[in-house]
């Protein structure tokens, strides 16, 4: 089965930059998407098609892609950015959706 | 503004069927630009896609759940539903419904992502 690999955790001081990676064999040929989930809340889309930011998402969130790895970058991290972040993609037929295991971002 | 609301029993007995409905308001479920789907999250764990449906009734399921899952759509009521049969404690989770944007580009072909989510409903499987 198709898998996406994320680091379990990332720690960052306020004002610094957090980078969360997501790796998968097919990511060189498929888009990835990122969701932010705070405790007790539903996930929120923060990045789509690797680098596109939905309206309402702060500019400090950006995305990039290189080969089989995509990266969500949060510049100037704020306390409110502390959350779990999940990457998501599909298989090549676009009929199977897969999530990474999630990365917990802790703001020190 | 589009809103999704899950509803259904919060407690299901083992071996029975879990049934949930997602009501869509502020937009039509019959739009050609979207699929509609279910995602779940066991306590303390990550997200798992269950399956998705188009307004025409076309469905895609997670292979790991396919033998137990049926997703249906009712365009007249602007809602879609999840049935998960023969549940066990492992099916205890928060269940979310979500709208899937359906797009196409020449680089990667069809793509889908979940842009609007319901708040989620907790379902426990226990006798």
């Amino acid at each position: 089965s198709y898998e996406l690999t994320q680091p379990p955790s990332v720690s960052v001081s306020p004002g610094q930059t957090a980078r969360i990676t997501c790796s998968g064999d097919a990511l060189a040929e498929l888009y990835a998407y990122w969701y932010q989930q705070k405790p007790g809340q539903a996930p929120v889309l923060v990045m789509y098609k690797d680098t596109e930011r939905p309206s309402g998402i702060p500019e400090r969130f950006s995305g990039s892609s290189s080969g089989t790895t995509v990266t969500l970058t949060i510049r100037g991290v704020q306390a409110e950015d502390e959350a779990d972040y999940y990457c998501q993609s599909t298989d090549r037929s676009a009929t199977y959706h897969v999530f990474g295991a999630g990365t917990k971002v802790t703001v020190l | 503004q589009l809103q999704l609301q899950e509803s259904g029993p919060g407690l299901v007995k083992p071996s029975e069927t879990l049934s949930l409905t997602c009501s869509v308001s502020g937009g039509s479920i019959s739009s050609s630009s979207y699929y509609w789907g279910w995602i779940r999250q066991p306590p303390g764990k990550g997200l798992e896609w269950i399956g998705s449906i188009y307004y025409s009734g076309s469905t895609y399921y997670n292979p790991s759940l396919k033998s137990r899952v049926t997703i249906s759509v009712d365009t007249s009521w602007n809602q879609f539903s999840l049935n998960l049969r023969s549940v066990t404690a492992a099916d205890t989770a928060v269940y979310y419904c979500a709208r899937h944007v359906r797009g196409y580009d020449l680089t990667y072909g069809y793509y889908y992502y979940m842009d609007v989510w319901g708040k989620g409903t907790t379902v426990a499987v226990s006798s």
Side-chain angles (χ1 to χ4, degrees), chain A residues 10-78:
Chain A
V10 167
S11 297
V12 60
S13 299
Q16 299 303 303
T17 297
R19 293 182 177 85
I20 310 163
T21 59
C22 175
S23 299
D25 288 344
L27 288 183
E29 309 165 22
L30 298 165
Y31 287 123
Y33 313 92
W34 291 94
Y35 304 87
Q36 176 195 67
Q37 186 180 35
K38 296 181 179 179
Q41 298 184 19
V44 172
L45 180 72
V46 296
M47 200 65 56
Y48 65 99
K49 292 175 65 178
D50 293 346
T51 61
E52 302 290 326
R53 192 175 56 248
S55 61
I57 301 302
E59 290 184 7
R60 62 180 181 273
F61 287 85
S62 64
S64 61
S65 176
S66 178
T68 58
T69 298
V70 294
T71 302
L72 178 70
T73 300
I74 313 172
R75 290 185 168 80
V77 166
Q78 300 181 8

Side-chain angles (χ1 to χ4, degrees), chain B residues 2 13 32-35 38-39 43 50 52-53 56 59 61 75 82 84 86 90 97-98 101 104 106 109 112 115:
Chain B
L2 188 83
K13 290 183 168 55
S32 62
S33 300
Y34 306 110
Y35 269 70
W38 291 95
I39 301 96
I50 298 171
S52 307
I53 191 165
S56 64
T59 53
Y61 297 131
T75 55
L82 168 70
L84 179 64
S86 304
C97 58
V101 171
Y104 180 87
L106 294 178
Y112 301 84
D115 69 331

Side-chain angles (χ1 to χ4, degrees), chain A residues 28-31 33 35 37 41-43 45 48-50 86 88 90 94-97 99 101, chain B residues 39 41 45-47 49 52 60 62-63 96 100 105 108 110-115 117-119:
Chain A
E29 309 165 22
L30 298 165
Y31 287 123
Y33 313 92
Y35 304 87
Q37 186 180 35
Q41 298 184 19
L45 180 72
Y48 65 99
K49 292 175 65 178
D50 293 346
Y86 294 91
Q88 177 248 318
T90 66
T95 59
Y96 173 71
H97 302 273
F99 289 93
Chain B
I39 301 96
Q41 185 171 35
K45 295 189 178 180
L47 301 168
W49 171 70
S52 307
Y60 298 116
N62 187 324
Y96 296 99
H100 299 13
D105 68 29
Y108 291 150
Y110 281 106
Y111 59 87
Y112 301 84
Y113 60 92
M114 300 142 200
D115 69 331
W117 294 63
K119 287 182 166 53

Side-chain angles (χ1 to χ4, degrees), chain B residues 27-36 54-56 78 99 102:
Chain B
S28 173
I29 203 170
S30 299
S31 171
S32 62
S33 300
Y34 306 110
Y35 269 70
W36 306 87
Y54 196 48
Y55 76 93
S56 64
N78 221 37
R99 185 177 77 173
R102 178 184 190 233

